[in-house]
């Protein structure tokens, strides 16, 4: 049922964006801005650049809503677009600065929960190989299915699922290693 | 630790959020940029082929009608004023508005400005 509602909502948003309805872009922004920002910061390790990537994505969409004619799912489009914009921002950073990355920012908030195991888990996520971390972010924090992850990352459903499995195993090992 | 428990723990770690000021200013900008797109009318994609087809048919009918008409094409530019008309040799009678009359009086050696009365109408 949720799928049907999402489908109807997407249709409405697509129509609204094409006719220049500010309410539609607001609806889309409110639904996805924070999620896309989190995905971007997990890729870029920079809050400022993540904001830039999300901004570029939404501006492109507003300025050229006809791109929606060619896409099936707005959600998949937004995540794939965030990834592309993040790559663009990263390439620009490399051109602008021939320095190293400097301090990498975490996607996690500085605030602590007081739980030692979560602090370990936080570090363990940051230390995952990038392709595994990306799948964990999309699956756990963004709520995408393996099929959607596959579409966003242009990999098969099985590859997405196996990367996730490797990531969870890695995290589990880190936690258990920490316990010993 | 089971997968579900691990996922639950992952979800309970607080994550960063977009700065509130940046978020609201970006949203305002997006709403502003969305508005100008309202002005141009975009026909529904389904309407365009139908419209094109109707236009092609209309143009074809018009061309055939003009071609079949005995008074087409005029051999020279036609002008007229008031209730006068130009009669062209062998072509026909034209009113000021350029409408062709299939008048009986089409055969004349006269070529120039004449009154409709003089032309026999």
């Amino acid at each position: 049922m949720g799928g049907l509602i999402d489908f109807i909502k997407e249709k409405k948003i697509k129509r609204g964006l094409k006719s220049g309805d500010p309410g539609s872009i607001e609806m889309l922004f409110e639904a996805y801005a924070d999620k896309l920002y989190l995905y971007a910061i997990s890729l870029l390790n920079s809050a400022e650049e993540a904001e830039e990537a999300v901004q570029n994505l939404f501006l492109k969409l507003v300025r050229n809503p006809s791109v929606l004619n060619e896409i099936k799912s707005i959600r998949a489009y937004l995540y794939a677009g965030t990834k592309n914009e993040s790559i663009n921002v990263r390439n620009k950073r490399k051109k602008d600065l021939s320095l190293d990355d400097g301090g990498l920012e975490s996607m996690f908030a500085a605030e602590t929960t007081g739980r030692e195991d979560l602090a370990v888990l936080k570090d363990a996520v940051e230390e995952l190989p990038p392709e595994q971390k990306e799948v964990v972010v999309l699956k756990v924090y963004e709520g995408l299915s393996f099929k959607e992850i596959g579409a966003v990352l242009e990999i098969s459903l099985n590859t997405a699922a196996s990367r996730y499995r490797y990531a969870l195993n890695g995290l589990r090992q880190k936690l258990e290693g920490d316990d010993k | 630790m089971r997968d579900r428990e691990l996922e639950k723990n992952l979800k309970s770690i607080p994550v960063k959020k977009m700065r509130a000021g940046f978020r609201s200013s970006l949203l305002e900008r997006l709403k502003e940029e969305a508005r100008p797109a309202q002005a141009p009318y975009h026909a529904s994609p389904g309407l365009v082929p139908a419209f094109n087809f109707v236009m092609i048919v209309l143009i074809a009918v018009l061309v055939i009608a003009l071609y079949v008409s005995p008074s087409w094409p005029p051999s020279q530019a036609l002008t007229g004023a008031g209730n006068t008309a130009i009669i062209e040799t062998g072509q026909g009678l034209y009113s000021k508005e350029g409408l062709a009359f299939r008048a009986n009086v089409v055969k004349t050696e006269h070529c120039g400005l004449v009154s409709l009365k003089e032309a026999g109408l």
Side-chain angles (χ1 to χ4, degrees), chain B residues 36-49:
Chain B
Q38 273 180 310
Y41 169 73
H42 297 289
S44 155
L47 280 178
V48 176

Side-chain angles (χ1 to χ4, degrees), chain B:
Chain B
M1 192 186 283
R2 288 179 182 277
D3 284 0
R4 194 144 309 161
E5 194 185 345
L6 191 53
E7 285 171 353
K8 199 177 153 195
N9 283 341
L10 282 168
K11 276 184 189 165
S12 61
I13 306 173
V15 291
K16 275 190 185 151
K17 288 201 170 135
M18 201 181 267
R19 286 174 297 144
F22 178 83
R23 195 181 193 281
S24 58
S25 65
L26 176 57
L27 179 58
E28 281 313 305
R29 188 175 167 193
L30 290 170
K31 281 155 77 178
E32 276 303 308
E33 294 231 11
R35 278 191 190 106
Q38 273 180 310
Y41 169 73
H42 297 289
S44 155
L47 280 178
V48 176
F51 178 78
N52 288 346
F53 177 75
V54 170
M55 288 308 290
I56 288 166
V57 169
L58 278 176
I59 290 167
V61 168
L62 190 66
V63 167
I64 290 165
L66 289 173
Y67 188 78
V68 166
S69 165
S71 58
W72 182 267
S75 58
Q76 64 183 73
L78 301 166
T79 57
N83 61 348
T84 60
I86 288 174
I87 294 178
E88 275 193 283
T89 307
Q91 288 297 314
L93 183 66
Y94 293 85
S95 75
K96 171 185 152 188
E97 291 81 16
L99 297 171
F101 293 90
R102 284 175 180 251
N104 293 326
V105 202
V106 292
K107 279 283 179 189
T108 170
E109 291 303 311
H110 182 79
C111 185
L113 210 57
V114 294
S115 72
L116 293 175
K117 196 174 175 184
E118 189 187 342
L121 291 177

Side-chain angles (χ1 to χ4, degrees), chain A residues 54-109:
Chain A
V54 173
Q55 173 179 276
N56 292 348
L57 173 73
F58 276 104
L59 283 174
K60 277 184 185 171
L61 187 62
V62 163
R63 288 170 185 168
N64 184 21
S66 61
V67 292
L68 296 172
N69 294 336
E70 298 149 21
I71 60 162
K72 280 185 186 169
S73 155
I74 293 185
R75 194 153 105 127
Y77 167 81
L78 289 175
Y79 281 99
T82 301
K83 177 153 185 153
N84 289 337
E85 290 302 330
S86 298
I87 291 168
N88 291 342
V89 169
R90 184 182 288 162
N91 289 341
K92 195 177 140 211
R93 174 175 66 185
K94 278 182 187 166
K95 276 182 195 167
D96 290 350
L97 302 167
S98 55
L99 304 168
D100 60 8
D101 285 333
L104 294 180
E105 284 184 69
S106 168
M107 58 180 266
F108 297 110

Side-chain angles (χ1 to χ4, degrees), chain A residues 28-175:
Chain A
L28 199 65
F29 187 83
E30 291 295 350
Y32 287 105
D34 289 325
K35 285 172 172 284
L36 297 174
Y37 171 76
L38 181 67
Y39 179 41
I41 198 172
S42 77
L43 296 170
L44 291 162
N45 298 114
S46 160
E48 197 182 321
E49 287 169 357
E51 284 176 351
E52 189 182 338
V54 173
Q55 173 179 276
N56 292 348
L57 173 73
F58 276 104
L59 283 174
K60 277 184 185 171
L61 187 62
V62 163
R63 288 170 185 168
N64 184 21
S66 61
V67 292
L68 296 172
N69 294 336
E70 298 149 21
I71 60 162
K72 280 185 186 169
S73 155
I74 293 185
R75 194 153 105 127
Y77 167 81
L78 289 175
Y79 281 99
T82 301
K83 177 153 185 153
N84 289 337
E85 290 302 330
S86 298
I87 291 168
N88 291 342
V89 169
R90 184 182 288 162
N91 289 341
K92 195 177 140 211
R93 174 175 66 185
K94 278 182 187 166
K95 276 182 195 167
D96 290 350
L97 302 167
S98 55
L99 304 168
D100 60 8
D101 285 333
L104 294 180
E105 284 184 69
S106 168
M107 58 180 266
F108 297 110
E111 62 202 69
T112 56
T113 55
R115 281 174 58 182
E116 186 62 28
D117 59 334
L118 292 189
V120 175
L121 191 56
K122 204 158 119 174
D123 292 341
V125 172
E126 294 293 4
E127 287 167 13
L128 282 172
E131 67 278 4
Q132 289 180 19
K133 181 182 165 190
E134 194 172 6
V135 174
V136 168
V137 171
L138 291 173
K139 178 79 179 139
V140 177
Y141 296 99
E142 311 289 359
L144 267 64
S145 65
F146 287 128
K147 192 180 170 190
E148 286 174 313
I149 294 171
V152 170
L153 303 182
E154 295 179 342
I155 55 175
S156 72
L157 184 153
N158 289 338
T159 306
S162 77
R163 279 185 192 176
Y164 185 67
R165 171 102 350 250
Y166 278 117
L168 290 193
N169 286 341
L171 293 175
R172 202 175 285 116
Q173 278 172 10
K174 289 251 180 186
L175 287 174

Side-chain angles (χ1 to χ4, degrees), chain A residues 16-31:
Chain A
L17 285 176
K18 280 188 255 179
S19 64
D21 168 31
S24 293
I25 190 68
E26 186 172 5
M27 203 189 290
L28 199 65
F29 187 83
E30 291 295 350

